[in-house]
Amino acid sequence: MSEVEALFKPLRIGTLEIPNRIAMAPMTREFAPGGVPGADVAAYYRRRAEGGAGLIITEGMAVNAAGAHDGPIPLFYQPETLAACRAIVEAVQGAGARIMPQLWHVGVQDSPTQVNPQTIKQRPARVGPSGLLGTGEIGGETLDESGIADTVADFARATAASRQAGFDGVEIHGAHGYLPDQFLWDRTNRRSDGYGGDVRERTRFVAELVRACKIAGGGDFPLVLRMSQWKSFDYDARLAQSPADLEALLVPIAEAGVDAFHCSTRRFWEPAFAGDPLTLAGWFRKITGKPTIAVGSVTLEHDFKAGKTEATGGIAESATRSRDVETVARAIAQGEFDMIAVGRAMIANPDWAALVRAGEAHRLRPFARDMLAALE
Ligand SMILES: Cc1cc2nc3c(=O)[nH]c(=O)nc-3n(C[C@H](O)[C@H](O)[C@H](O)COP(=O)(O)O)c2cc1C
C-alpha cells in the first residue's frame, strides 16, 4: 500500500464518519452580498467535494451582528442565509463530502477585509472580554455577564440552525485572536469575575460555549473547535508557552464536549515547543486524545501571511511543494494527527485530493493571489 493511502482512510469525528482525511480549510471569500451566499458559492464548494475533499469547512459565518467581520460574509443569523445554506449543504453532500459551517465572532478584533480592500466597512459596536485589543488599545466594549450569556446563546442557536439546515456538524472559530481566543489570552482577558484569571479560569467562556453548543445540537451533533497560538495581528503570540500550559488550557475545553480539535498553524510541520519535535497538532492530540486536524502551507512553499503588506492585502502567493504529501501521510499513519486541512492549495486546485490520490501531486497548480478575485 502506498504511504499516501493513509490520507484516504475514513475518519470518525463523534458520530460522523468522514470518507477521508482531507478537509478544505475555512476561508473567508466575501462573495455573500447582503450576507447571503448564492448559487456561485454552492458550486464553488461542490467543486472541492467533487475533487475528493472528505470534509468542507466553510468560510467563517457570523453568529450575530456584533461579531460580524466587515466584508460581505455569510450572516448566519439571517433566515435567508440559512435557506441559502441548505443549497450549499445539498451540493456538497450530493458530491459525497461532509460539510460544517465555521461559526465566527470577531470580538473586539478589527477585521480588515482581506479580499477586497475597497469594501465599505460598517462599524458595529465591537465587544470582547475586556474591550482590549492584543496591542493594549481599546477595541470595543466589555461584555457583562448577560452579554456573555447572550453571545453563548447566539452560538448555540447557530448550532441548532446548522443541524436543521442539514450540516454534518459545526466548527467553532476559536483561533486567530477572535472572540473565544480573546477570552483565552491573558493580554485580552483582564476579567476578575470568574471568566478571567489563571489559565483554567480563562477557559470558562470557551467551555461554556462548547457545552451550550453540544446541548443545542442535541448532544450527538459533532463539534470541532479551531484554536491557534498565533493571532492575525501577532504571529509570535502564544496562548501556551509550554506543553504544561497547553495541557492546562486544553483539558477543561476538551472535557466540555469537543469532538475534534482543529489546530491552526501557518506551517504544519513545525515543532511547537523548543526541545521537542512534536507539532502543535501532535500536542493537541497527545494531550486530549481527540481527533485533530492540522493545517498550514500544505503543498505550498510560503505560508499564507508570508511577506504581508498593505499592497498584498495579507494573503501570500506561493509556489507548489508536492513533497508535503508524504510528510502529511506519514504523520497521519503514525497517529501524530488525524486529518489535514488544505487552504490556498485547494483554492488553486479544486481537485487537490483526486490529484494526490492519483499520485499526481507534481501537477498541483501554485496559488496566485488573483485567484481570490473570483469564485472558481
Ligand atoms: C483567503 C483566506 C481566508 C481565510 N479565512 C479564514 C476564516 O474565515 N476562518 C479561519 O479560521 N481561517 C481562515 N483562513 C486561514 C485558513 O483557514 C488556513 O488556516 C490558512 O490559509 C493556512 O492554510 P494554507 O497555508 O493551506 O492556505 C483564511 C485563509 C485565506 C487564504
Side-chain angles (χ1 to χ4, degrees), residues 25-28 59-60 102 104 114 173 176 226 264-266 295-298 300 304 315 341-344 372:
M27 283 178 289
T28 292
E59 61 209 286
Q102 190 188 50
W104 189 17
Q114 295 167 309
H173 193 348
H176 306 170
R226 193 174 219 213
S264 173
T265 61
R266 292 185 296 137
V295 67
S297 305
V298 178
L300 294 175
F304 87 115
I315 307 291
V342 181
R344 290 163 298 152
L372 296 176

Side-chain angles (χ1 to χ4, degrees), residues 2-271:
S2 111
E3 207 169 35
V4 164
E5 276 306 304
L7 284 167
F8 296 94
K9 291 194 176 144
L11 172 67
R12 186 162 276 279
I13 291 183
T15 55
L16 178 67
E17 183 156 298
I18 302 171
N20 62 43
R21 307 303 182 96
I22 299 162
M24 179 179 184
M27 283 178 289
T28 292
R29 296 302 311 272
E30 303 182 348
F31 283 95
V36 184
D40 53 346
V41 177
Y44 156 81
Y45 285 124
R46 186 183 171 103
R47 281 192 285 281
R48 275 74 193 171
E50 287 169 345
L55 174 66
I56 302 291
I57 306 170
T58 72
E59 61 209 286
M61 302 204 187
V63 296
N64 63 24
H69 164 91
D70 295 330
I73 65 150
L75 303 176
F76 206 62
Y77 51 91
Q78 299 182 151
E80 59 271 38
T81 305
L82 287 170
C85 281
R86 283 181 188 272
I88 296 177
V89 166
E90 279 166 24
V92 167
Q93 291 173 345
R98 310 283 183 261
I99 179 164
M100 299 183 184
Q102 190 188 50
L103 304 182
W104 189 17
H105 188 304
V106 300
V108 287
Q109 186 161 309
D110 190 22
S111 52
T113 181
Q114 295 167 309
V115 176
N116 181 1
Q118 309 315 325
T119 302
I120 296 178
K121 297 182 181 174
Q122 305 141 356
R123 272 300 137 138
R126 295 287 185 215
V127 291
S130 302
L132 281 178
L133 298 168
T135 54
E137 294 157 278
I138 302 285
E141 291 160 22
T142 298
L143 281 164
D144 60 18
E145 291 210 4
S146 81
I148 289 180
D150 289 347
T151 307
V152 168
D154 289 335
F155 272 94
R157 233 185 323 275
T159 304
S162 302
R163 184 166 194 151
Q164 271 176 358
F167 283 105
D168 295 295
V170 288
E171 174 170 287
I172 295 178
H173 193 348
H176 306 170
Y178 295 113
L179 184 71
D181 189 66
Q182 285 159 27
F183 273 91
L184 296 175
W185 199 28
D186 55 0
R187 278 192 13 215
T188 41
N189 182 348
R190 302 287 171 80
R191 300 178 76 100
S192 54
D193 63 350
Y195 284 96
D198 64 17
V199 184
R200 192 178 180 94
E201 288 164 322
R202 292 199 305 276
T203 65
R204 178 173 163 191
F205 174 78
V206 176
E208 284 183 4
L209 199 58
V210 168
R211 268 192 292 274
C213 291
K214 282 305 283 184
I215 292 168
D220 59 351
F221 193 53
L223 186 150
V224 178
L225 177 65
R226 193 174 219 213
M227 292 176 65
S228 66
Q229 294 267 43
W230 66 273
K231 324 293 168 203
S232 303
F233 54 90
D234 183 351
Y235 306 143
D236 299 322
R238 293 278 171 273
L239 286 179
Q241 305 293 342
S242 64
D245 275 1
L246 191 64
E247 186 168 350
L249 183 75
L250 291 182
V251 167
I253 295 173
E255 283 173 354
V258 171
D259 293 301
F261 283 96
H262 185 172
C263 173
S264 173
T265 61
R266 292 185 296 137
R267 293 172 288 267
F268 77 90
W269 64 89
E270 282 185 350

